[in-house]
């Protein structure tokens, strides 16, 4: 992500105010227009602007955007975007005028990278995008590290159980059991945890 403005962006917001719309809807449509203009003026590549009632999961899967911006939409629209990116995480930026702190915390916990309340302007778009991208990268790194830690802990538990099994059946010390596991892993060209899990699986079958 050397140049964030080369990223492909999908915007979810109202394209135009419906006929006979009141002041609130007209203001929302104008905000949506201002956001798209701000993105274009800052050199961002907008793949598509989608209405909140579109099949967002299908559209996101087809377009494969790098970043998704949700502008002043219902909780349902934001949830659809979050759900659509569960298996393929990417930065999500939400512009809103809703100051509800509970909604903000819920959005951040759900995976929104930036939740911007009011103050939408062309000048702020680039700064907000940069912050969102940086936060997303940090969050993904932390999630990866947490996943790696959990995996290593699970593998350690499997190895400990396998060592206990060997110690019980062969009346050997913990060091001897560990050496047996290492030899098996080397002979079979497998990870230590894989050999340990296979040993436990076989033991379960013999019970």
């Amino acid at each position: 992500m050397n140049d964030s403005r080369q990223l492909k962006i999908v915007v979810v917001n109202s394209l135009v105010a419906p006929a006979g719309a009141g002041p609130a809807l007209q203001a929302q449509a104008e905000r949506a227009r201002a956001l798209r203009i701000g993105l274009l003026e800052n050199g961002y590549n907008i793949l598509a602007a989608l209405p909140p009632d579109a099949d967002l999961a299908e559209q996101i899967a087809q377009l494969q955007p790098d970043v998704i911006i949700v502008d002043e939409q219902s909780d349902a629209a934001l949830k659809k975007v979050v759900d659509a990116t569960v298996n393929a995480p990417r930065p999500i930026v939400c512009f809103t005028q809703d100051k509800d702190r509970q909604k903000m915390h819920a959005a951040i916990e759900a995976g929104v990278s930036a939740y911007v309340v009011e103050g939408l302007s062309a000048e702020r778009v680039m700064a907000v995008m940069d912050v969102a991208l940086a936060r997303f990268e940090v969050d993904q790194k932390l999630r990866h590290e947490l996943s790696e830690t959990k995996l290593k802990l699970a593998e350690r538990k499997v190895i400990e159980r396998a060592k206990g099994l060997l110690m019980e059946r062969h009346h050997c010390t913990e060091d001897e059991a560990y050496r047996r596991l290492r030899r098996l892993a080397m002979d079979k060209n497998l990870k230590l945890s894989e050999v340990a899990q296979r040993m436990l699986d076989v033991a379960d079958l013999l019970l």
Side-chain angles (χ1 to χ4, degrees), residues 1 4-5 22 25 31 45 48 63 70 90 99 113 117 136 143 155 159 163-164 166 178 184 201:
M1 297 187 182
S4 61
R5 284 173 291 180
L25 287 178
R31 275 175 47 84
N45 175 22
L63 294 168
V70 182
R90 65 204 73 190
K99 298 180 181 180
S113 303
V117 180
F136 176 77
R143 288 176 184 271
E155 290 178 344
I159 292 170
K163 284 197 302 183
L166 287 173
Y178 183 72
L184 281 171
D201 291 342

Side-chain angles (χ1 to χ4, degrees), residues 143-153 155:
R143 288 176 184 271
H144 177 72
E145 290 175 352
L146 179 60
S147 178
E148 287 289 309
T149 300
K150 288 181 177 179
L151 178 60
K152 289 178 181 178
L153 179 60
E155 290 178 344

Side-chain angles (χ1 to χ4, degrees), residues 88-126:
R90 65 204 73 190
I92 300 172
V93 180
C94 180
F95 287 97
T96 181
Q97 290 184 308
D98 192 337
K99 298 180 181 180
D100 190 315
R101 294 182 65 84
Q102 289 186 338
K103 287 185 178 181
M104 178 184 70
H105 287 303
I108 296 297
E109 289 178 3
V112 173
S113 303
Y115 192 90
V116 184
V117 180
E118 295 186 344
L120 175 62
S121 66
E123 294 77 16
R124 292 190 65 200
V125 168
M126 184 179 295

Side-chain angles (χ1 to χ4, degrees), residues 136-205:
F136 176 77
E137 290 180 356
V138 170
D139 183 63
Q140 288 302 108
K141 182 180 179 181
L142 291 175
R143 288 176 184 271
H144 177 72
E145 290 175 352
L146 179 60
S147 178
E148 287 289 309
T149 300
K150 288 181 177 179
L151 178 60
K152 289 178 181 178
L153 179 60
E155 290 178 344
R156 190 176 301 124
K157 288 181 178 179
V158 169
I159 292 170
E160 290 299 317
R161 286 180 58 202
K163 284 197 302 183
L165 180 65
L166 287 173
M167 291 166 64
E168 179 183 345
R169 294 194 175 181
H170 296 278
H171 305 288
C172 61
T173 66
E174 183 176 353
D175 286 343
E176 290 171 337
Y178 183 72
R179 285 196 292 270
R180 283 174 179 263
L181 280 175
R182 284 193 63 185
R183 279 200 302 272
L184 281 171
M186 292 176 65
D187 292 343
K188 297 182 179 297
N189 196 29
L190 294 171
K191 290 174 60 178
L192 197 62
S193 59
E194 292 173 336
V195 169
Q197 185 61 61
R198 290 187 181 189
M199 187 176 293
L200 295 174
D201 291 342
V202 171
D204 289 341
L205 290 174

